[in-house]
Amino acid sequence: RSSRAPAQRTPQPIRQLTRADLPALQQLYDQQSEVVFSAELFPQSLFFGASDGGRVIAAGGTHALTPAYQVAVLGHILTAPEARRQGYAGAITAALADTLGQRQFSTIVLNVFADNQPAVRVYARLGFQAVHKMVTGRATLLT
């Protein structure tokens, strides 16, 4: 992370999201079927995003924060289709990493599908490195 490139400027400012943003944040995530977002976890999380006219158009946050071990897991990084390719994912991820670094989190991780090349490029530009390859798939519990 020390060799991180500065994040791109975005048309709308990036800011930390609050409880007041929850309905708009939920709307953003509801647009994407593969994103599972639980508003119940928001109080224990850290989220940044950008809004346009009261609508959250890009956001990202933490899946887990473990201050005792200085580990943070980033996730839910999503940009609405009409706001893509404007630097939001990079700026939000950079804001998260900067804030977590200031809070003494020494390990910041995230998962990304290898075929999501736009996201892979954003994270690599910010200094994230692939450490493990993860295989995912559907499973059926047989009873």
Side-chain angles (χ1 to χ4, degrees):
R1 210 164 49 82
S2 60
S3 61
R4 237 183 28 169
Q8 231 177 289
R9 294 190 64 92
T10 57
Q12 300 297 327
I14 303 302
R15 63 181 176 79
Q16 187 170 345
L17 300 179
T18 67
R19 273 191 182 282
D21 297 302
L22 267 175
L25 185 61
Q26 187 71 60
Q27 267 190 327
L28 173 69
Y29 291 131
D30 285 349
Q31 294 176 4
Q32 299 295 316
S33 61
E34 71 273 3
V35 177
V36 178
F37 173 72
S38 172
E40 295 168 358
L41 297 177
F42 187 85
Q44 295 88 19
S45 302
L46 175 67
F47 273 82
F48 280 85
S51 300
D52 188 10
R55 190 171 152 253
V56 174
I57 57 170
T62 55
H63 283 301
L65 292 171
T66 55
Y69 296 99
Q70 301 173 323
V71 175
V73 181
L74 304 186
H76 296 111
I77 299 167
L78 179 65
T79 303
E82 69 278 6
R84 291 184 181 153
R85 303 187 58 79
Q86 297 180 43
Y88 288 112
I92 288 166
T93 305
L96 284 162
D98 289 344
T99 301
L100 291 164
Q102 291 167 13
R103 294 182 184 181
Q104 309 306 310
F105 284 85
S106 58
T107 302
I108 301 170
V109 299
L110 55 80
N111 296 326
V112 62
F113 289 107
D115 65 350
N116 187 350
Q117 286 302 305
V120 170
R121 281 192 296 275
V122 166
Y123 302 141
R125 199 170 36 247
L126 291 172
F128 286 89
Q129 300 173 1
V131 176
H132 298 285
K133 297 224 182 229
M134 185 170 74
V135 178
T136 61
R138 293 200 178 271
T140 303
L141 178 62
L142 302 175
T143 56

